[in-house]
Amino acid sequence: MDNKEIFENIKSLKEILQNDGFIIDGVFGSYARNENLKDIDVDILYHLDKIFYDKYSSFIGFKKLDEIKQFISKKLDKKIDLAPFSNLLQTAKNHILKDVIYV
């Protein structure tokens, strides 16, 4: 799957997942810089909105995040890393946000 297909699939996944309050903001890292190699993972920046917190409280939320990660990975046929925007330290923001391709 090339970069264009990855981004198209992520956009369609974003539409599906936002119904659960999981909002994909964009892709960063190797795929955003178009440096992807065959076995590189896809780094996805996301945030959660009120819908997620209302539906999935406490440990159920952690389980749901794992399910979402597996769902995205399966749909993209790639390993993925999820990075929550709210937990980025300033140093990480300086490096990650400059490369993000928002979807």
Side-chain angles (χ1 to χ4, degrees), residues 38-82:
K38 184 179 179 182
D39 296 324
I40 282 294
D41 58 355
V42 179
D43 301 307
I44 296 176
L45 185 66
Y46 75 95
H47 71 275
L48 304 173
D49 72 10
K50 186 177 180 326
I51 295 168
F52 186 91
Y53 295 111
D54 289 345
K55 283 183 156 183
Y56 310 106
S57 61
S58 188
F59 291 107
I60 297 170
F62 291 115
K63 182 179 180 196
K64 184 63 178 177
L65 286 175
D66 187 53
E67 290 172 5
I68 289 171
K69 181 177 180 177
Q70 299 306 316
F71 174 73
I72 296 171
S73 180
K74 183 177 179 181
K75 293 294 185 183
L76 298 180
D77 195 28
K78 296 275 184 192
K79 290 182 182 179
I80 65 161
D81 281 330
L82 297 177

Side-chain angles (χ1 to χ4, degrees), residues 28 45 85 88 90 92-102:
F28 65 96
L45 185 66
F85 182 84
L88 295 179
Q90 190 58 47
K93 284 182 183 178
N94 292 340
H95 294 291
I96 289 174
L97 295 182
K98 67 180 180 166
D99 290 336
V100 174
I101 295 180
Y102 293 92

